[in-house]
Amino acid sequence: MKYGIHLNQEKAEFPALWQAHFIDYDVLKGFLKTKMVDTNVRLSTAFPSTHVFQWMPATPDEPCFDQMLAQRLALVSKLTPEFVSMLDKEVDRFNRFFITVKAEIKNRVAHVLDTSRQAGVAECEAALSDLLLLERFVFLNFTAVAKALKKHDKWSGLQIREPYLVRTSQLSFVVSTSLLQLKPELMGRLTDLLAEQNVPLSTLVLPAGSDAIASATAALKDMAVVQPPLPPVGLKHAVLGDNAASPKLGPLVGLMLETQTVMISLRGPHGTDIIGGVLRCLSTHKCQIVDFSLSRLHHDVTFGVLVRLHNRDVDLFGDLAKTAQKWDGTLSFDVQDARLKASKLADSAQFALSEAPYAKRIKYIATVLNERGLTPEFLSEWLAWLLHKRISVEQMRRLDSRTTLMCVEFRLSVPDELSPDEMKSELIAISTGHQTDVALQTDNVFRRQKRLVVFDMDSTLIQQEVIDEIARIAGIEAQVAAITERAMQGELDFKESLASR
């Protein structure tokens, strides 16, 4: 589902007054889609991969290279400030509304927490509902800003997203922590009220062992104030102990259990500093790490991490942008709301960052080996075969430590309809043509946990013939070597040659 559609669906669930102050993502996207056509100054991505830049124009009507570049620079220098001005107005309008609503909700929460009066469960639930709704309002709109900036950078070739997000980190909707500080108090108050009034458990059922239970545990540890001794019928007990909650509390628990999944990638020349910078940000904002991936090319490192946010702490992105600036890195991230299904992930399956996200696949390991060195010609034909078969490369790992590349292990994601026998038959032809060994094995426990290995020894695992070495010690190396040679030429069978030697 496109984010614009998702945002409009979410927007419809908010009060009408709130809806009027959402970021107008459709207008921003429409501006980019209609105005920023043929403006991309990053020419390597602005044209199809088959496009060839000519030294001289092919026709008199075609602009020369410098004219084409000047036209694009002129357009982007005019349109980018217009876009930023539009976005500033949207963000400012949203931020001013946030300040107003925050003050109202803060007063309401303070009224509920006032110890001089007795607030009821309904009043406490309403205050908590408003607080959680405001958090969701902020996160949806911040995501709209980030996605609009991402589209701008893609279509213009400029990179303004990181510095723009650093700017937003100074605004109230990002730096406001007072509501987050009030939330644990409000949760504790609601826990006490439910215990005092013995609210019956009812309809909200969470399957035992589900991700929702784990999410609830983490969320409530952050949000609830546990006051010993905890009564048997409190908020934590309602959600976790009996896998149920009061009818009124059900929607609130749903809001609290919502998580945002964020894919973060930071690339730059300071390897360990980049990894440490990202992890410090995640630690500061109490993110849950789902998966990570690391790629290194000497000093250059790309560190990718998949995280879940259990609250709407958008300040994380500002801190990540500052970290990228500090270490000369390039930051990219994609927010994947829990309500927004990832259509690119087939059958709603979940995949590790190192996996190709396709369904109906079998994992294979292919080991390619040539003691004289793997040639570009072989590797090119090998990859062409993989592409033809729609086989995805998930990982490549060098296995040798020679000065020339000799052995590489590929982890492959193979469509399950491909015949193993047919694949091996085709690979034998490629292998023979390049005198390069290709071993294709299913990636399973039997491959990884070998208990018996059977192989030839002489001139295979080692470069020598052991019997010739024994003959050398005995002083008859020449005679035995001659017999060995006759056997290798087919003049003697194995038993006869062994007896002779």
Side-chain angles (χ1 to χ4, degrees):
M1 184 190 299
K2 298 292 187 180
Y3 187 75
I5 298 173
H6 168 69
L7 181 62
N8 288 331
Q9 290 178 350
E10 293 291 313
K11 181 178 172 180
E13 298 180 10
F14 282 77
L17 181 61
W18 292 49
Q19 292 181 32
H21 292 86
F22 265 72
I23 296 290
D24 200 332
Y25 179 77
D26 291 336
V27 168
L28 294 170
K29 182 180 175 182
F31 176 87
L32 295 171
K33 197 171 183 179
T34 57
K35 299 285 188 179
M36 302 201 77
V37 179
D38 295 332
T39 61
N40 194 340
V41 295
R42 191 177 179 185
L43 301 181
S44 57
T45 59
F47 292 84
S49 58
T50 55
H51 182 80
V52 177
F53 291 99
Q54 302 293 337
W55 181 254
M56 294 296 292
T59 65
D61 297 332
E62 184 179 340
C64 58
F65 188 84
D66 58 342
Q67 291 174 336
M68 178 266 292
L69 185 58
Q71 290 170 1
R72 288 174 177 265
L73 286 169
L75 281 171
V76 83
S77 65
K78 174 179 179 293
L79 294 173
T80 290
E82 288 184 25
F83 171 77
V84 170
S85 177
M86 289 176 58
L87 186 57
D88 280 353
K89 291 176 182 176
E90 291 291 316
V91 171
D92 184 60
R93 178 171 55 83
F94 152 68
N95 187 58
R96 282 188 280 109
F97 179 74
F98 168 82
I99 293 171
T100 301
V101 174
K102 183 193 75 169
E104 295 174 357
I105 292 177
K106 189 175 179 181
N107 290 335
R108 193 172 309 145
V109 172
H111 191 62
V112 170
L113 297 176
D114 186 356
T115 56
S116 66
R117 57 183 301 275
Q118 184 64 40
V121 171
E123 188 178 358
C124 198
E125 285 179 343
L128 180 59
S129 178
D130 287 344
L131 181 56
L132 295 173
L133 195 66
L134 182 59
E135 285 187 337
R136 181 156 189 79
F137 176 72
V138 169
F139 201 89
L140 285 168
N141 282 279
F142 183 86
T143 304
V145 172
K147 287 188 175 290
L149 287 166
K150 182 180 179 181
K151 287 187 178 296
H152 168 272
D153 290 0
K154 177 182 177 181
W155 291 343
S156 70
L158 302 181
Q159 301 295 317
I160 69 169
R161 183 164 73 157
E162 287 178 29
Y164 195 96
L165 293 180
V166 172
R167 289 179 67 220
T168 64
S169 66
Q170 305 162 34
L171 298 177
S172 294
F173 74 90
V174 174
V175 300
S176 179
T177 59
S178 56
L179 291 181
L180 291 177
Q181 293 168 350
L182 285 173
K183 185 162 61 176
E185 295 182 53
L186 189 58
M187 294 294 299
R189 181 63 182 144
L190 184 55
T191 299
D192 293 340
L193 289 172
L194 289 172
E196 291 168 5
Q197 299 182 23
N198 197 23
V199 174
L201 306 178
S202 185
T203 56
L204 180 65
V205 177
L206 302 175
S210 71
D211 288 340
I213 293 289
S215 298
T217 304
L220 291 172
K221 279 182 180 177
D222 287 339
M223 292 189 287
V225 176
V226 181
Q227 300 178 351
L230 184 68
V233 185
L235 181 57
K236 289 187 73 172
H237 183 72
V239 178
L240 304 176
D242 294 329
N243 294 342
S246 73
K248 289 185 178 180
L249 199 57
L252 297 183
V253 173
L255 278 172
M256 289 185 292
L257 296 185
E258 283 182 9
T259 60
Q260 280 72 39
T261 302
V262 184
M263 183 91 71
I264 300 165
S265 174
L266 187 57
R267 175 173 56 86
H270 303 281
T272 307
D273 291 312
I274 279 179
I275 299 169
V278 171
L279 293 178
R280 275 192 296 274
C281 290
L282 302 183
S283 173
T284 300
H285 297 278
K286 295 181 173 56
C287 301
Q288 177 190 357
I289 297 178
V290 179
D291 196 6
F292 73 90
S293 180
L294 177 69
S295 174
R296 176 181 280 275
L297 186 60
H298 293 310
H299 293 297
D300 288 319
V301 159
T302 300
F303 181 53
V305 60
L306 189 68
V307 302
R308 287 199 187 104
L309 301 180
H310 286 289
N311 58 37
R312 278 38 174 203
D313 190 359
V314 298
D315 201 23
L316 165 68
F317 304 107
D319 285 352
L320 286 170
K322 292 174 184 175
T323 299
Q325 282 187 330
K326 179 178 180 180
W327 299 112
D328 302 322
T330 301
L331 173 69
S332 64
F333 62 84
D334 185 38
V335 178
Q336 182 67 66
D337 194 284
R339 295 188 184 185
L340 181 57
K341 298 301 182 184
S343 58
K344 64 182 179 181
L345 299 183
D347 298 337
S348 299
Q350 296 298 313
F351 298 89
L353 288 183
S354 59
E355 291 184 290
Y358 305 115
K360 299 181 179 178
R361 293 285 179 126
I362 301 173
K363 306 296 182 181
Y364 279 83
I365 294 293
T367 309
V368 298
L369 168 67
N370 189 321
E371 64 177 343
R372 293 178 298 277
L374 295 170
T375 65
E377 292 78 14
F378 162 74
L379 292 172
S380 176
E381 186 172 347
W382 160 244
L383 264 295
W385 181 81
L386 295 177
L387 288 169
H388 177 68
K389 293 293 184 180
R390 297 185 299 109
I391 296 173
S392 301
V393 177
E394 293 187 337
Q395 285 185 352
M396 294 171 58
R397 184 165 68 102
R398 182 175 183 172
L399 299 184
D400 71 278
S401 56
R402 304 289 184 88
T403 55
T404 302
L405 179 65
M406 291 175 52
C407 187
V408 177
E409 177 184 276
F410 293 81
R411 191 175 78 179
L412 306 174
S413 174
V414 179
D416 60 4
E417 72 267 16
L418 294 183
S419 163
D421 292 337
E422 182 181 328
M423 286 193 295
K424 289 179 181 178
S425 175
E426 294 176 8
L427 286 176
I428 287 173
I430 298 174
S431 172
T432 303
H434 293 274
Q435 296 184 324
T436 299
D437 291 329
V438 180
L440 188 65
Q441 306 170 79
T442 306
D443 187 16
N444 55 26
V445 67
F446 300 107
R447 189 198 73 83
R448 293 189 293 271
Q449 304 293 333
K450 292 181 174 64
R451 291 294 181 267
L452 176 66
V453 182
V454 181
F455 48 80
D456 184 27
M457 173 67 76
D458 295 10
S459 297
T460 301
L461 186 68
I462 63 174
Q463 296 180 349
Q464 297 80 21
E465 290 286 332
V466 171
I467 198 165
D468 290 349
E469 296 302 309
I470 297 173
R472 181 175 59 80
I473 294 172
I476 53 172
E477 181 180 7
Q479 297 96 307
V480 171
I483 299 171
T484 301
E485 181 62 25
R486 289 181 63 201
M488 294 179 67
Q489 296 299 328
E491 298 175 10
L492 298 174
D493 63 23
F494 177 75
K495 288 184 178 180
E496 185 180 357
S497 70
L498 185 60
S500 299
R501 286 183 288 185

